[in-house]
Amino acid sequence: MKDNSNPDKVNSLKHVLFGSLIGTTIEFFDFYIYANAAVLVFPQLFFPGTDPTISTIESLATFSIAFFARPIGSAVFGHYGDKIGRKTTLVVALLTMGISTVAIGFLPTYASIGIAAPLLLMLFRFGQGLGLGGEWGGAVLLAIENAPPGKRAWYGMFPQLGAPIGLLLSGGTFILLSDTLTNKQFFDYGWRIPFIASAILVVVGFYIRLKITETPSFLASLETKKLIKIPLVTLLKSFKRELVFGTLAAVTTFVTFYLMTVFSLSWATSDLGYTRRDFLIMQLFSVVFFGISIPVSAVLADRFGRRFVLIVISIAIAIFGLFFSSLLGSGNTTLITLFLCLGMTLMGMTYGPLGTFLSELFPTEVRYSGASLTFNFAGIFGAAFAPIIAIWIAKNYGITYVGYYLSAAAVMTFFSLLLIRKKDHQF
């Protein structure tokens, strides 16, 4: 665990694990405060109109922009992560993501500057996605490329834990604001507080990332001169199958997450009669199960294999989709809470081993680019339009068919996991 610039400096376990965790915590905090705002705030402040459904869809369209920016970020940051190292790339990705998020908190609304407001919102949302495209892959590699034998899924689980922690922080912040501010105060300035406050997390993450040295795997590539001139070209030439099936294998993870969070929040507050605060509390309770299931899945993945665990959970998600309507559409708070808890448990079980699984598809010299691109391409297909598609399906055909949408995604992932070829690459 020695740095090429300082041979005597060694990564400590706490710096490795906390350094990988802090970035993804910020990622999900930033992403989910935007998701909350895209459902609860932006339709009125940035996309005012006579039809609330159209305003919500327009707002959620800006939510999807980041998913298209993420592969661009993956290609750019992945290139430099595979060429000059994980550390510097992670620091720049974190700053790109953090600055964009804070900037959203200072944006004037449509009432102040007209059409320029949603355009600026889209610009900074693109910046969020650009930074996020480089963040996740680097954080996962920081963990697994420092992992001892037999513990790779366990180490790779730590950056994944950033998801439930970020969700708890963001959801808790919105509940606190709902409890302490009037509705007018919330829409006037309260919604800005989480975006601006994220600067604190960015500063902490920046400090931790600066203390981290390069991973042993990258240093070994330097010593053996295995670095590739243009990693993206090599990926498209020699690893097309891994890119395609790796992407499809990750799609269900995204569909599950955004149906459990963004779609459920939108549907519950607009069609089921729940208040913002009440449903956020139910969602936060389910996030605890998300957090618990991630380390459980990592233990199982180290013992039985990543692919086996992902295949089993894909089958479980396909079955869960068939009960979507009977639980979410029941109108019963207990059953809806059970729905959220089951969905988030399955989410944790598929999300926990995913980073390790995708990273193991590629050798060190293209691993940053390969893992990042598969994950973020899956974000386009599985998340960019998932809330919009689900809302459209629910409005036109009912939420039973939203469940079928989830089941279809799980079946596709199941077959992709069966078809993908995994080679043993050196770590």
Side-chain angles (χ1 to χ4, degrees), residues 18-252:
F18 188 59
S20 64
L21 174 63
I22 186 67
T24 50
T25 298
I26 298 169
E27 172 185 344
F28 272 87
F29 179 79
D30 289 357
F31 237 59
Y32 202 57
I33 58 174
Y34 192 99
N36 274 330
V39 171
L40 304 172
V41 179
F42 293 162
Q44 295 96 312
L45 297 185
F46 289 86
F47 302 94
T50 55
D51 188 335
T53 299
I54 297 298
S55 294
T56 299
I57 289 175
E58 289 174 344
S59 177
L60 288 175
T62 69
F63 177 75
S64 70
I65 288 173
F67 292 100
F68 290 94
R70 285 175 76 155
I72 299 173
S74 297
V76 173
F77 288 108
H79 174 84
Y80 289 105
D82 286 326
K83 291 282 288 182
I84 66 173
R86 318 318 195 192
K87 174 182 174 176
T88 302
T89 308
L90 275 170
V91 170
V92 177
L94 179 68
L95 290 178
T96 303
M97 176 177 65
I99 291 170
S100 299
T101 301
V102 174
I104 291 172
F106 288 103
L107 276 181
T109 64
Y110 188 92
S112 300
I113 59 172
I115 192 66
L119 291 176
L120 286 171
L121 180 66
M122 289 187 282
L123 175 65
F124 290 124
R125 180 60 174 168
F126 183 87
Q128 267 192 328
L130 201 66
L132 290 169
E135 168 60 38
W136 179 86
V140 169
L141 296 195
L142 176 64
I144 69 170
E145 289 186 349
N146 279 292
K151 293 287 186 180
R152 206 175 294 148
W154 179 255
Y155 271 56
M157 168 271 298
F158 276 87
Q160 307 298 69
L161 275 178
I165 295 172
L167 286 173
L168 287 170
L169 288 175
S170 60
T173 301
F174 270 87
I175 289 174
L176 180 63
L177 293 172
S178 296
D179 286 347
T180 56
L181 301 176
T182 65
N183 203 51
K184 183 178 185 305
Q185 289 172 327
F186 179 77
F187 278 89
D188 283 346
Y189 65 87
W191 68 269
R192 301 179 183 275
I193 295 173
F195 289 93
I196 297 171
S198 70
I200 299 171
L201 291 175
V202 173
V203 170
V204 173
F206 180 72
Y207 173 74
I208 294 296
R209 291 276 170 87
L210 287 179
K211 296 176 72 68
I212 292 170
T213 65
E214 278 301 343
T215 69
S217 296
F218 182 77
L219 294 179
S221 289
L222 284 179
E223 292 169 3
T224 57
K225 303 186 185 303
K226 282 188 175 181
L227 296 185
I228 291 172
K229 188 174 182 180
I230 306 178
L232 181 60
V233 172
T234 301
L235 278 172
L236 296 176
K237 182 179 179 181
S238 304
F239 297 93
K240 291 189 290 292
R241 187 182 181 92
E242 287 83 353
L243 282 172
V244 171
F245 288 109
T247 296
L248 296 178
V251 162
T252 300

Side-chain angles (χ1 to χ4, degrees), residues 312-331:
V312 170
I313 299 305
S314 295
I315 295 170
I317 292 173
I319 296 171
F320 172 72
L322 302 179
F323 295 91
F324 204 95
S325 175
S326 58
L327 293 173
L328 180 59
S330 65

Side-chain angles (χ1 to χ4, degrees), residues 234-314:
T234 301
L235 278 172
L236 296 176
K237 182 179 179 181
S238 304
F239 297 93
K240 291 189 290 292
R241 187 182 181 92
E242 287 83 353
L243 282 172
V244 171
F245 288 109
T247 296
L248 296 178
V251 162
T252 300
T253 300
F254 282 94
V255 175
T256 303
F257 180 77
Y258 286 100
L259 291 188
M260 291 298 103
T261 53
V262 180
F263 169 74
S264 294
L265 177 63
S266 177
W267 187 259
T269 54
S270 63
D271 289 75
L272 299 182
Y274 283 90
T275 65
R276 177 179 66 228
R277 183 184 185 279
D278 288 347
F279 199 77
L280 281 174
I281 290 175
M282 293 162 64
Q283 281 192 323
L284 285 183
F285 178 70
S286 72
V287 170
V288 174
F289 292 85
F290 181 21
I292 291 171
S293 59
I294 287 175
V296 171
S297 68
V299 171
L300 294 174
D302 273 331
R303 182 169 183 180
F304 300 107
R306 301 30 145 168
R307 176 159 35 183
F308 176 77
V309 171
L310 290 171
I311 286 173
V312 170
I313 299 305
S314 295

